[in-house]
Structures are given as C-alpha cells and as structure tokens.
Amino acid sequence: MPFPAMDHFLESSDAQAPFLRDCKGRCGRLLIGRLAAGLDHIVTIVMAGILGIYGLVVSVLIANNLAQTVALYTSLLQLGAGLAVGLCGLAAGFAIGIVGDAGVRGTAQQPRLYVGMILVLIFAEVLGLYGLIVALLMNARAGVIDFKCSS
C-alpha cells in the first residue's frame, strides 16, 4: 500500500462500511432534493443576463448606423440611447442583486416568500426594459434629421 499511515483508517472503515453506505444514500437523496430546490433561485441570474442582452441589442442598432461623417444631432442621440440603456441596466442590476440576495436567503428560511421575491424581481427587471424602450425610441429618432453643420 502506498500510504502506510492510512492502514489504520482503512481497517477501521471496514467495520463502518454499512453505516457509511447508509449515510451516503441519505446524503445523496438530500443533495438531489436540494439541487431541485436550488434551481428555483437561478431566476435572478437569468434576469441579470437579460439586462446584458438589452445593452447588446442597442449597441448593435447603434453600430449599424455608424458612418464616417455623422451629424452631431445623430451622434448625441446615439450617445443618449447608450447611456439610457446602460444606466437603467445598472440600476436594474443593483436592484436584482439586492432583492435576489435577500430573497434567496429569505426563501431558504420561509419558502412562501418565493412568489413575492419573483414579483419584486419582475419590477426590478422592468427598470431595464424601460431603458431599452427609451433607447430604441432615441435611436429611431437619430436618423430623422439629416442636418450637417457647414463650415
């Protein structure tokens, strides 16, 4: 045996094998139950990921309108659209993080809090959706006026 110090442990574990098998079975069932309950709390992670998708959508729309010479009006509206979705996503991300942390801890102690946590998470996600809507409206308005300053 490569580890002589383990001989005593292995000899004593032979007598404990039935007890260890029983504990392993119980822990396995408990772990599977915990994993199923833990998947409910992945909602906060998914909601935070959706906020990133909002920013990606607006950045792709802005990137499609880029050109070598762009009116200042268009550039400022595109900057405002990016800031709108970015800052609203930041605020929604903070809200989702705080509510998700408190909600998961509270749900672990009292499972009835789960529905309330989901409702508050939805309200927090709507903040990011409002930013996306404002950004889309601003970006749509950016191409309306084609005014260029003459020098």
Side-chain angles (χ1 to χ4, degrees), residues 24-151:
K24 187 175 95 170
R26 288 176 194 242
C27 290
R29 286 190 299 272
L30 181 65
L31 180 63
I32 290 170
R34 285 288 184 198
L35 283 177
L39 291 178
D40 292 341
H41 302 301
I42 203 164
V43 173
T44 58
I45 298 168
V46 171
M47 285 186 154
I50 291 171
L51 294 175
I53 293 172
Y54 292 164
L56 181 68
V57 167
V58 172
S59 67
V60 166
L61 290 175
I62 291 172
N64 283 336
N65 293 334
L66 291 180
Q68 194 68 21
T69 58
V70 179
L72 181 62
Y73 175 80
T74 303
S75 297
L76 290 177
L77 272 178
Q78 289 174 342
L79 175 67
L83 285 174
V85 74
L87 293 176
C88 285
L90 183 69
F94 274 125
I96 288 172
I98 292 169
V99 171
D101 178 45
V104 167
R105 291 174 193 264
T107 304
Q109 294 176 358
Q110 183 59 261
R112 289 186 297 165
L113 295 175
Y114 184 72
V115 174
M117 177 189 75
I118 294 297
L119 286 175
V120 175
L121 284 172
I122 289 170
F123 290 137
E125 180 76 24
V126 169
L127 294 174
L129 187 61
Y130 291 154
L132 175 68
I133 292 169
V134 168
L136 291 176
L137 291 174
M138 290 177 76
N139 192 39
R141 186 78 178 140
V144 172
I145 296 178
D146 193 23
F147 177 75
K148 294 190 183 352
C149 295
S150 59
S151 50

